[in-house]
Amino acid sequence: MARSETEYLMRLRPDQLQPVAQAKKLRAEVIKLRAKVSEGSYGDAELRRFWRLAETAGLILFVSNTELSERAGVGANFFSTVARDKRRPKLHNFLRALTVLLEVANERLADVDGDQIIEKSGSEKISERIRQDRFSLLQLARSLAQVALDEIEKLDAERPNDPERISAHERQRELFHIFADGFTRIARALAVLEIDRAEPAKLRKATKIVEAVGEKFNKWWKKNGDEAIDWSVRIPVITAGVAALGWAGAPMALGTSIVAALVGGEKVMNVISRRSSKAPKG
C-alpha cells in the first residue's frame, strides 16, 4: 500500500500553530522519557507516560500505528496494542519505540526547526548532567570504582585451570579494569569540580573523561558482548556500570538496553547500595 502524502510525508508549516505546538510538546516528552529509560530501567510512572504517548502519537504526528511499529522493528501491532492491553515492553523495545517517535517528530518539524539542533551533542549532555548531578555522580563513581576492584580481586582468587575459563576471566578482568580505572578518573575530575565548580576547563576535562570511558566500554562491548550476556553472576555489576555512564550522559544506549533487559531492569542504585559500604571515604 502506497504511503499517503498527508499521513507519512507531511511536514508541518510554521503557520500551523496548534499542530506544531502539539508535535513539539510530544517531542519534548519523548526526549525526557528516553533519557530516563536509557539509564537502564523503567517503572510504573514511565510506563504510564509511554502509554499516553503511544495512544496519541499517531494523531499528533500524522502517522499510522503500523508505520511506527514497522519503523521501530517491534512488531506490526506494537503501537496499536501496547496501551490498550496495558503491556510492559522489554527495555530494548521501549527504547526503539521512543526513538522512532523522536525521529518522526523531527521529520514533521523539519521546516519549523530549520537549522536548529534538535538534541544536544554528546559532550553537551555530559556537561549538563555533571552540572546538575555532580555530587551524586561523584559518589556513584567512587562506589563503582571500588565495586570493580572487588570484582578483580574475586577473579584473582578464583584462578581457574580450564583454558576457556581462563580466557573468560581475562576478558572479565579487562572489563572491570575499564570500570575501575575509568570511574576512578571520573571521580577525581568531579572531586576537583566540587572545589571549583566555575572553571570551564575543569568541566571540559571531566566531560572528556566520561566520554572516553563510555567509548572504551562501547568498544569492549561490541567485541565481547555476546559472551558477556552469559556471565550471569556479574551481570548486575556490568549493568550498574553501564547505567551509571548512561546517567552521566555518555552514549550508552546499546549497552544499557541489552544488559538491563537481561536482568529485568534492575535499577542501578539498588545495585550500588548493596556495595557502597566498601567505597573509600572523602
Side-chain angles (χ1 to χ4, degrees):
M1 181 177 179
R3 297 180 177 182
S4 70
E5 182 178 351
T6 56
E7 189 172 18
Y8 298 129
L9 303 180
M10 178 177 178
R11 293 171 69 159
L12 295 171
R13 302 186 311 273
D15 63 341
Q16 294 177 292
L17 300 182
Q18 184 175 358
V20 166
Q22 290 176 327
K24 283 187 173 183
K25 181 180 178 181
L26 182 141
R27 183 173 67 185
E29 291 174 353
V30 169
I31 290 173
K32 185 176 181 180
L33 182 56
R34 193 176 69 160
K36 174 64 177 175
V37 175
S38 291
E39 293 174 11
S41 66
Y42 69 87
D44 291 341
E46 290 76 32
L47 183 59
R48 287 192 294 269
R49 287 163 61 190
F50 176 68
W51 285 341
R52 288 195 294 271
L53 288 170
E55 286 178 319
T56 59
L59 291 174
I60 292 173
L61 299 176
F62 301 94
V63 62
S64 72
N65 285 329
T66 300
E67 171 74 1
L68 288 172
S69 298
E70 289 176 351
R71 286 185 58 164
V74 291
N77 297 319
F78 180 89
F79 275 92
S80 299
T81 62
V82 67
R84 184 194 69 194
D85 298 342
K86 305 300 181 193
R87 290 164 50 198
R88 301 182 70 93
K90 293 180 179 179
L91 187 62
H92 59 275
N93 284 339
F94 201 134
L95 287 167
R96 286 177 181 175
L98 290 173
T99 297
V100 81
L101 289 180
L102 179 58
E103 290 174 352
V104 175
N106 286 342
E107 291 168 9
R108 298 295 179 263
L109 292 165
D111 291 340
V112 178
D113 293 318
D115 294 329
Q116 62 181 287
I117 298 173
I118 303 303
E119 290 193 89
K120 294 179 180 178
S121 69
S123 296
E124 288 174 325
K125 288 179 182 178
I126 296 170
S127 296
E128 182 176 328
R129 179 61 70 181
I130 289 173
R131 283 192 292 264
Q132 291 176 347
D133 297 310
R134 182 174 49 255
F135 181 75
S136 295
L137 288 170
L138 172 60
Q139 299 304 314
L140 189 57
R142 285 172 171 168
S143 295
L144 279 167
Q146 186 61 49
V147 169
L149 290 172
D150 290 344
E151 291 300 321
I152 292 171
E153 186 177 336
K154 291 177 185 176
L155 286 168
D156 289 342
E158 290 177 8
R159 296 182 181 179
N161 295 319
D162 179 79
E164 289 188 6
R165 289 188 62 198
I166 291 173
S167 178
H169 270 52
E170 286 304 311
R171 284 186 284 279
Q172 291 177 34
R173 281 178 56 85
E174 184 179 276
L175 172 60
F176 291 124
H177 273 297
I178 291 173
F179 281 166
D181 177 68
F183 283 113
T184 297
R185 292 171 61 213
I186 290 172
R188 288 172 180 165
L190 294 177
V192 172
L193 279 173
E194 285 294 315
I195 298 169
D196 186 358
R197 35 175 99 172
E199 190 169 337
K202 292 180 180 178
L203 177 59
R204 286 196 298 270
K205 181 178 180 180
T207 297
K208 288 180 179 179
I209 290 173
V210 172
E211 207 165 26
V213 176
E215 289 175 358
K216 198 166 185 178
F217 170 83
N218 283 330
K219 183 177 180 181
W220 182 95
W221 182 265
K222 287 178 182 178
K223 182 179 179 181
N224 302 289
D226 289 343
E227 179 183 354
I229 62 176
D230 294 325
W231 299 344
S232 58
V233 69
R234 293 188 167 96
I235 284 292
V237 181
I238 300 173
T239 304
V242 173
L245 288 168
W247 182 28
M252 306 302 297
L254 175 64
T256 299
S257 61
I258 292 174
V259 179
L262 286 171
V263 298
E266 183 175 10
K267 290 184 179 296
V268 60
M269 293 310 297
N270 290 337
V271 176
I272 295 303
S273 64
R274 295 198 298 269
R275 297 170 168 84
S276 60
S277 60
K278 295 185 178 181
K281 307 296 182 181

